[in-house]
Amino acid sequence: MKNKILIFILLLAGVFLFFAFDFDRFLTLDYLKSSRQEFQSFYELYPFGSIFSFFVIYVVIVGLNLPGAAVLGLAGGALFGFTVGVVTISFASSIGATIACFFSRYLFRDYVQRRFGDKLEKVNNGIKNEGAFYLFTMRLIPAIPFVVINLVMGLTPMRLRTFYWVSQIGMLPGTMVFVNAGKELGKISSVSGILQPSLIISFIILGLFPLFVRKAVSFAKERSINKIT
């Protein structure tokens, strides 16, 4: 219990310091545009150090559920180009999301399960059986907040290993969209403008497809069994 309280306090302290020192001002589209040339020069001089620093910052931002991940996605494309940006952000975002999921699980899951265990039994069974498909669907739908998915999945029985690899795959299309948009940073007026309705619909269809296939296969198996019996 003491360890949980200590970790919770440290997390709150990290969030407090982030806003107290106004670090969020560095994670805005305007700041990124105005500082792009300076960052580019630094990257040319210290490529490995730049990528490593960016990677660590991204993991911390996502792991602590701080705002700015979308802008960092654009920054990755603007500074590193498509390939390096996608690889760096893909792993950083997945690791950061898994850390956030772990914190949610470690701090809150026992309480939630004790308090609402009987009501969550069906949900828990569903997550055990088909959780990877549901997570994959949610990862592909930009309308579902990234932070909410990390926190809610931490309250479920899903293995962190499963959470990580499904997130790695499921977030890849969105990462590619933001990194690619980052290459054209000067043409972007807002982060929300990147995700047009048609693009969101495409993600939804892509995310629902594996669930549809799974349900169709299960339905076909049940019908064949019923015919035999």
Side-chain angles (χ1 to χ4, degrees), residues 32 36 71 73-79 81 175-188 194:
L32 179 59
R36 182 179 182 180
V71 174
L74 296 174
L79 301 178
T175 297
M176 295 171 69
V177 169
F178 272 84
V179 172
N180 187 62
K183 294 195 304 179
E184 305 294 331
L185 189 62
K187 301 178 182 178
I188 299 173
I194 298 170

Side-chain angles (χ1 to χ4, degrees), residues 43-205:
Y43 174 56
E44 292 175 358
L45 290 173
Y46 310 101
F48 178 79
S50 300
I51 294 173
F52 180 76
S53 299
F54 181 90
F55 183 91
V56 172
I57 291 172
Y58 205 110
V59 169
V60 171
I61 292 296
V62 175
L64 294 181
N65 294 312
L66 296 171
V71 174
L72 284 177
L74 296 174
L79 301 178
F80 307 135
F82 183 77
T83 302
V84 176
V86 167
V87 172
T88 303
I89 294 174
S90 178
F91 283 96
S93 60
S94 299
I95 292 172
T98 304
I99 291 174
C101 181
F102 167 77
F103 283 140
S104 173
R105 174 165 300 178
Y106 183 73
L107 294 173
F108 306 116
R109 189 178 72 169
D110 289 345
Y111 170 77
V112 172
Q113 292 295 336
R114 284 198 305 267
R115 187 75 171 80
F116 306 102
D118 54 336
K119 299 177 181 178
L120 294 174
E121 184 176 357
K122 186 175 181 180
V123 175
N124 289 336
N125 291 333
I127 291 296
K128 286 180 181 179
N129 296 328
E130 300 184 359
F133 286 89
Y134 288 116
L135 176 59
F136 183 71
T137 299
M138 289 189 290
R139 285 303 192 198
L140 283 170
I141 302 176
I144 301 178
F146 181 79
V147 173
V148 172
I149 297 174
N150 299 337
L151 296 180
V152 170
M153 282 298 166
L155 305 177
T156 71
M158 176 179 289
R159 293 182 178 180
L160 287 177
R161 180 173 58 187
T162 301
F163 178 88
Y164 170 79
W165 72 258
V166 174
S167 297
Q168 185 86 55
I169 298 173
M171 292 190 295
L172 185 58
T175 297
M176 295 171 69
V177 169
F178 272 84
V179 172
N180 187 62
K183 294 195 304 179
E184 305 294 331
L185 189 62
K187 301 178 182 178
I188 299 173
S189 58
S190 68
V191 175
S192 59
I194 298 170
L195 296 175
Q196 300 296 329
S198 59
L199 183 60
I200 294 178
I201 292 173
S202 298
F203 278 141
I204 292 174
I205 294 173

